[in-house]
């Protein structure tokens, strides 16, 4: 629930926005339920999408309504951070990031592909990354003090090589490298990138082609 505090961190619960405010908790509930089954992140997000696509079709198809739903998530997530409930904030950040990616790819069409590395980053975020995520997206200054508190913490990135030997496959984000082909996965080292290539190769070529076709369409529109 949104707290009774004066600042709503950019969310305005008007009657005209009620359906978007109802949609966000429904999506999050389905996402959390799928999480309990031990499913990987993409499976959980797609399950939550499918669980809400019929009842909230008008929201999924409308960028303004989706942005209201995202604003709702940002307000709740900000309150969780202010209460030091970072695990809760991480789950809300994952939901908000998914909405953000959907708006960019499916509705506004200004991005070629969902950036799953960013979604994984939100799910596994340490406090610095979480506070930065919400602070950049809310119009108020409510997280400035928290940001100063967590700023010394190193931001962490994820290695997509499933056989990586690092604890939880995480390393300092400044040390990670993108796959130059698709830029959808990151690695802690060139060795991990090479080790994962056989598994990643087909997806890499597919995503690189989608990105190239998208860029070509964008160029033709200029």
């Amino acid at each position: 629930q949104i707290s009774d505090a004066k600042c709503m961190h950019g969310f305005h619960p008007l009657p005209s926005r009620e359906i978007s405010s109802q949609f966000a908790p429904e999506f999050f509930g389905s996402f959390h339920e799928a999480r309990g089954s031990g499913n990987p992140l993409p499976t959980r997000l797609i399950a939550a999408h499918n669980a809400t696509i019929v009842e909230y079709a008008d929201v999924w198809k409308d960028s303004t309504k989706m942005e209201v739903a995202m604003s709702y998530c940002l307000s709740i997530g900000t309150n969780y951070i202010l209460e030091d409930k970072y695990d809760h904030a991480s789950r809300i950040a994952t939901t908000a990031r998914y909405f953000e990616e959907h708006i960019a790819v499916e509705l506004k069409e200004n991005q070629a592909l969902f950036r799953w590395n960013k979604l994984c980053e939100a799910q596994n975020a340490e406090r610095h990354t979480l506070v930065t995520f919400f602070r950049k997206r809310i119009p108020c200054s409510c997280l400035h003090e928290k940001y100063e508190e967590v700023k010394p913490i190193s931001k962490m990135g994820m290695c997509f090589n499933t056989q990586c030997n690092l604890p939880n496959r995480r390393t300092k984000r400044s040390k990670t490298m993108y796959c130059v082909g698709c830029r959808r996965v990151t690695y802690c080292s060139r060795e991990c990138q090479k080790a994962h290539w056989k598994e990643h190769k087909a997806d890499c070529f597919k995503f690189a082609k989608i990105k190239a076709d998208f860029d070509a369409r964008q160029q033709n529109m200029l």
Side-chain angles (χ1 to χ4, degrees), residues 100-165:
E100 190 172 68
E101 295 292 302
H102 175 80
I103 292 167
V105 176
E106 302 294 343
L107 302 180
K108 295 187 175 180
E109 298 183 351
N110 54 19
Q111 185 176 303
L113 294 157
F114 277 67
R115 296 172 297 179
W116 287 104
N117 59 306
K118 295 296 184 182
L119 287 158
C120 290
E121 182 181 284
Q123 178 186 233
N124 299 295
E126 80 305 310
R127 287 183 295 164
H128 188 171
T129 294
L130 270 180
V131 173
T132 300
F133 176 85
F134 286 102
R135 182 171 175 259
K136 283 183 175 180
R137 290 165 174 80
I138 58 174
C140 57
S141 59
C142 292
L143 290 180
H144 286 7
E145 186 175 330
K146 279 289 182 183
Y147 178 73
E148 292 301 320
E149 178 185 316
V150 303
K151 192 163 58 172
I153 299 172
S154 295
K155 289 186 176 182
M156 302 297 286
M158 184 175 181
C159 181
F160 275 71
N161 175 21
T162 53
Q163 304 303 315
C164 178
N165 291 323

Side-chain angles (χ1 to χ4, degrees), residues 23-32 45 48-49 52 60 95 98-99:
F23 157 72
E26 287 287 337
F27 179 93
F28 183 71
S30 299
F31 173 63
H32 185 69
L45 288 168
H49 190 135
T52 54
W60 282 113
T95 299
Y98 185 75
F99 291 170

Side-chain angles (χ1 to χ4, degrees), residues 122-211:
Q123 178 186 233
N124 299 295
E126 80 305 310
R127 287 183 295 164
H128 188 171
T129 294
L130 270 180
V131 173
T132 300
F133 176 85
F134 286 102
R135 182 171 175 259
K136 283 183 175 180
R137 290 165 174 80
I138 58 174
C140 57
S141 59
C142 292
L143 290 180
H144 286 7
E145 186 175 330
K146 279 289 182 183
Y147 178 73
E148 292 301 320
E149 178 185 316
V150 303
K151 192 163 58 172
I153 299 172
S154 295
K155 289 186 176 182
M156 302 297 286
M158 184 175 181
C159 181
F160 275 71
N161 175 21
T162 53
Q163 304 303 315
C164 178
N165 291 323
L166 291 175
N168 298 317
R169 294 158 44 203
R170 300 180 76 191
T171 187
K172 287 184 178 181
R173 195 181 307 168
S174 59
K175 294 183 178 180
T176 59
M177 57 184 71
Y178 278 96
C179 169
V180 295
C182 66
R183 297 193 65 80
R184 278 171 52 97
V185 296
T186 52
Y187 299 100
C188 67
S189 65
R190 190 166 298 279
E191 289 73 25
C192 269
Q193 183 180 18
K194 289 180 178 178
H196 191 238
W197 177 241
K198 185 176 181 180
E199 181 179 344
H200 176 58
K201 181 177 180 180
D203 282 343
C204 184
F205 288 152
K206 178 176 71 174
F207 296 140
K209 185 179 186 308
I210 292 172
K211 179 67 164 59

